[in-house]
């Protein structure tokens, strides 16, 4: 393979790169976005949703917990997530982040999509 061919190869990225040492707020990084789909990396460390705040999103959200642990609150109760767990949260399903790991960054991969993307 010539050097010119190598320059045209796609370059990998790593979800564990560029993790800040301190996180005063959760870090949201959009990785891919189109009209019907958005994929984000979310980094949390001991973060929770503000008191009284509930997410009520117009899109469906599928989350994969890559590293760490988290607890989400739904109106019906708590859901515990650990590394490798995934969860589908339907559009307008109210939820909040009750807790995330304190001793290490919690890394999420979140895929937001609408019905048009689900039917493609």
């Amino acid at each position: 393979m010539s050097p010119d061919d190598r320059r045209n190869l796609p370059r990998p990225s790593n979800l564990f790169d560029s993790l800040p040492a301190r996180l005063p707020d959760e870090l949201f990084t959009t990785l891919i976005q189109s009209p019907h789909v958005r994929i984000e990396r979310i980094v949390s460390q001991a973060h929770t949703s503000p008191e009284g705040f509930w997410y009520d999103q117009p899109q469906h959200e599928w989350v994969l917990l890559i590293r760490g642990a988290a607890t989400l609150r739904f109106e019906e109760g708590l859901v515990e997530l650990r590394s490798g767990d995934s969860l589908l949260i339907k559009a307008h399903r109210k939820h909040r982040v009750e807790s995330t790991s304190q001793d290490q960054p919690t890394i999420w991969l979140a895929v937001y999509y609408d019905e048009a993307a689900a039917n493609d």
Side-chain angles (χ1 to χ4, degrees):
M1 183 178 288
S2 75
D4 286 338
D5 290 337
R6 283 190 199 100
R7 270 185 254 141
N8 293 326
L9 287 173
R11 302 201 185 226
S13 60
N14 190 302
L15 290 176
F16 302 123
D17 286 349
S18 305
L19 296 176
R22 295 182 41 86
L23 282 172
D25 298 308
E26 284 185 299
L27 177 63
F28 296 84
T29 305
T30 299
L31 304 174
I32 296 172
Q33 187 164 353
S34 75
H36 301 291
V37 177
R38 183 176 82 253
I39 301 174
E40 288 182 341
R41 178 189 74 170
I42 304 168
V43 182
S44 313
Q45 189 165 10
H47 291 100
T48 63
S49 295
E51 189 64 37
F53 173 83
W54 291 84
Y55 288 99
D56 183 5
Q57 300 162 167
Q59 315 91 352
H60 303 300
E61 178 182 3
W62 177 82
V63 292
L64 171 63
L65 200 67
I66 304 281
R67 178 189 285 173
T71 302
L72 298 180
R73 178 174 294 280
F74 293 86
E75 292 174 318
E76 303 84 3
L78 298 175
V79 174
E80 306 267 340
L81 299 171
R82 56 187 171 85
S83 295
D85 287 343
S86 66
L87 183 67
L88 176 62
I89 305 169
K90 293 287 194 172
H92 296 292
R93 181 84 192 267
K94 291 184 179 180
H95 63 286
R96 51 181 281 111
V97 177
E98 199 69 17
S99 67
T100 60
S101 296
Q102 296 195 17
D103 59 341
Q104 67 175 326
T106 297
I107 301 174
W108 316 69
L109 187 64
V111 179
Y112 304 90
Y113 64 97
D114 59 30
E115 286 302 320
N119 295 323
D120 282 347

